Amino acid sequence: MGQLNAEMMQLAVATKAVHIPCRGGSPLITAVLSNEVQFALDNLVIFLPHIQAGKLRALAVASPARLPQLPDVPTFAELGHAPLNHPSWTGIAAPANTSPAIVQALHEAIRAAATEPAMIDNLKNRGVIPPEEMAPAAFEKMMSERLAAYGEVVRRANIRPE
């Protein structure tokens, strides 16, 4: 996702950077901290401790509003790039033929866990936006829209499997 978001940013601001693949968050942080790469786009969770320690500088966040953990860091929308203001998401998928009753039961159980005050506090402390209420059909629609947008980025940036 980091590569796709970086490509989307490059297309939006008409710049070009070379993609340096990393095998996960830890190698990415190491690459940024050692100046092996000059910038990275990824989940705030991996960057926040280093930003708070003054080792990294946050330039923008992709959230709908500024984050309480980084109140001085603008959103992409505030910087004039609203299309880049789409936070990452986590979802749960089931086989296509899963009954609607089971999908609804899973949704309700996950919502119950995700809205526990301790869970919300844990997420906020790590720089994660607490989950919003999204019915299974709305989540499927959002995923389809995001996949279409990323498909366009892949096409325009000429990204090929390696």
Side-chain angles (χ1 to χ4, degrees), residues 22-125:
C22 291
R23 291 182 171 264
S26 294
L28 176 61
I29 288 295
T30 300
V32 177
L33 289 171
S34 67
N35 206 28
E36 182 180 335
V37 299
Q38 284 68 50
F39 75 94
L41 279 79
D42 210 309
N43 290 319
L44 182 61
V45 171
I46 67 170
F47 294 118
L48 189 59
H50 303 284
I51 294 167
Q52 291 171 329
K55 295 178 181 177
L56 292 178
R57 179 178 170 206
L59 303 176
V61 293
S63 55
R66 291 188 183 206
L67 299 174
Q69 301 88 341
L70 302 170
D72 297 330
V73 178
T75 66
F76 277 112
E78 289 177 288
L79 296 173
H81 301 290
L84 299 175
N85 246 40
H86 53 86
S88 62
W89 49 270
T90 300
I92 295 177
N97 61 354
T98 304
S99 78
I102 291 174
V103 169
Q104 188 59 35
L106 286 169
H107 171 70
E108 289 170 11
I110 292 164
R111 282 300 307 159
T115 57
E116 285 286 328
M119 174 66 89
I120 291 174
D121 287 345
N122 178 285
L123 293 172
K124 285 181 179 178
N125 290 338

Side-chain angles (χ1 to χ4, degrees), residues 8-16 81:
M8 189 178 285
M9 183 192 74
Q10 290 178 73
L11 291 167
V13 300
T15 190
K16 190 65 182 155
H81 301 290

